[in-house]
Amino acid sequence: MTAPADIVNHCALHLDDADIERLVGWIAWRTGRNQALAGDGPAISRLEHVVTHWLDDGRRADLVGWLIRRRASGRPAVPE
């Protein structure tokens, strides 16, 4: 099981605010939600909301694995 805090901590360590904001937008697009529903706070807070409320355990585990593989291969955190 991947907790929302695991993803938030990983992203806080390895991504800048712009990448985190792009990740929030990408997750919104992938889940069919409006990005504005993530709130209007700092990018990391918006990400915490998204991974807590929009993703189930399976999707959180998939996301953290995907982020780790992208980072290991030198690709950007979020597809452009």
Side-chain angles (χ1 to χ4, degrees):
M1 181 169 112
T2 302
D6 296 333
I7 296 171
V8 171
N9 291 336
H10 175 83
C11 290
L13 287 172
H14 300 290
L15 305 178
D16 61 23
D17 283 345
D19 284 336
I20 293 170
E21 197 60 54
R22 279 192 294 279
L23 183 58
V24 168
W26 185 81
I27 293 169
W29 173 73
R30 296 279 299 180
T31 59
R33 297 180 191 248
N34 185 324
Q35 183 175 350
L37 296 174
D40 61 355
I44 199 72
S45 296
R46 291 166 45 83
L47 178 65
E48 182 175 21
H49 174 85
V50 166
V51 299
T52 299
H53 299 288
W54 298 2
L55 303 179
D56 60 23
D57 288 336
R59 284 188 166 186
R60 282 192 291 267
D62 290 345
L63 176 62
V64 77
W66 181 78
L67 287 167
I68 290 169
R69 286 189 304 277
R70 286 189 70 83
R71 190 164 122 4
S73 69
R75 292 181 288 173
V78 181
E80 297 175 352

